[in-house]
Amino acid sequence: MPNKIIVYYSLEGSTRLMAETMARTLSADILELKPLKEINPNGFLKYFWGGRQVVFKEKPKLEIFTKNPLDYDIIIIGTPVWAFTFSPPLRSFFTRVKLRDKKIGLFCCHEGNPGKTLENLAKELAGNAIIGQMNFLNVKNNKEKNGEKAKDWALSLKI
Ligand SMILES: Cc1cc2nc3c(=O)[nH]c(=O)nc-3n(C[C@H](O)[C@H](O)[C@H](O)COP(=O)(O)O)c2cc1C
């Protein structure tokens, strides 16, 4: 069995829920990207600070990784959609870890407008094989349905 890891960032828990469901389904390891200085997930200001990070292409400093993604053949990468693209901690991740010749699945969580998130992630990952892409809408209001979708998608990946 090839070894697998789910790498994700989540501010409010939706991406975490999907990532943990996939990890259980595939018996995969998991690496959560945690900014050293996190945005407050409560209230409206998160849109301001988060949006600002996207606009300025910021790379927030991350906590030390508990796993080395380069040790894995199959990597599933998940992010919330922020301002129609992937969240800034993923930008930090791509700077720190240069993935090549991996099989990669991509997913995002959003509230109706995923923008170019998956396309932009795929661009950052040129040199790898993208084996699947999925988006999850309004996870926090549809946990069960999205959980089933996450399981089905994980099992459908050609790994
Ligand atoms: C800064 C910020 C920007 C967002 N931008 C978008 C967006 O462009 N499109 C969208 O559909 N949802 C947007 N959202 C909503 C999140 O993508 C959605 O709630 C997602 O499920 C959150 O995932 P998480 O719980 O793993 O953090 C935004 C949320 C934040 C905090």
Side-chain angles (χ1 to χ4, degrees):
M1 280 288 271
N3 50 358
K4 297 155 266 181
I5 188 166
I6 322 284
V7 178
Y8 75 95
Y9 166 71
S10 182
L11 178 65
E12 299 171 83
S14 294
T15 314
R16 180 177 304 111
L17 184 67
M18 297 298 94
E20 286 176 349
T21 304
M22 290 174 201
R24 272 197 307 277
T25 306
L26 297 174
S27 303
D29 285 345
I30 205 156
L31 170 63
E32 179 176 4
L33 305 177
K34 293 187 188 163
L36 288 177
K37 213 176 138 214
E38 187 53 296
I39 290 172
N40 183 350
N42 305 308
F44 195 73
L45 274 179
K46 67 186 172 204
Y47 297 107
F48 173 74
W49 291 115
R52 191 175 183 280
Q53 282 189 6
V54 174
V55 169
F56 290 102
K57 292 193 162 34
E58 284 180 20
K59 296 173 192 162
K61 284 210 174 81
L62 303 177
E63 284 184 15
I64 287 171
F65 293 173
T66 52
K67 305 265 177 354
N68 182 357
L70 294 175
D71 292 343
Y72 296 81
D73 306 313
I74 292 153
I75 304 173
I76 297 179
I77 298 177
T79 177
V81 173
W82 280 14
F84 318 116
T85 188
F86 58 82
S87 57
L90 271 293
R91 192 174 292 287
S92 313
F93 175 72
F94 294 136
T95 304
R96 194 185 291 188
V97 181
K98 298 292 175 202
L99 298 175
R100 283 287 173 276
D101 300 325
K102 303 286 186 188
K103 291 184 176 177
I104 299 190
L106 300 173
F107 74 94
C108 65
C109 295
H110 64 100
E111 289 180 12
N113 196 337
K116 293 196 167 181
T117 303
L118 297 177
E119 199 180 318
N120 290 346
L121 279 178
K123 268 191 211 151
E124 295 287 333
L125 290 159
N128 298 279
I130 305 299
I131 56 170
Q133 304 190 12
M134 184 50 72
N135 73 84
F136 299 95
L137 171 64
N138 283 331
V139 171
K140 56 179 176 252
N141 299 323
N142 298 287
K143 287 188 182 151
E144 246 178 67
K145 206 177 97 196
N146 278 300
E148 288 305 314
K149 190 171 159 183
K151 272 186 216 165
D152 290 347
W153 179 66
L155 291 171
S156 77
L157 294 171
K158 302 268 177 294
I159 51 184

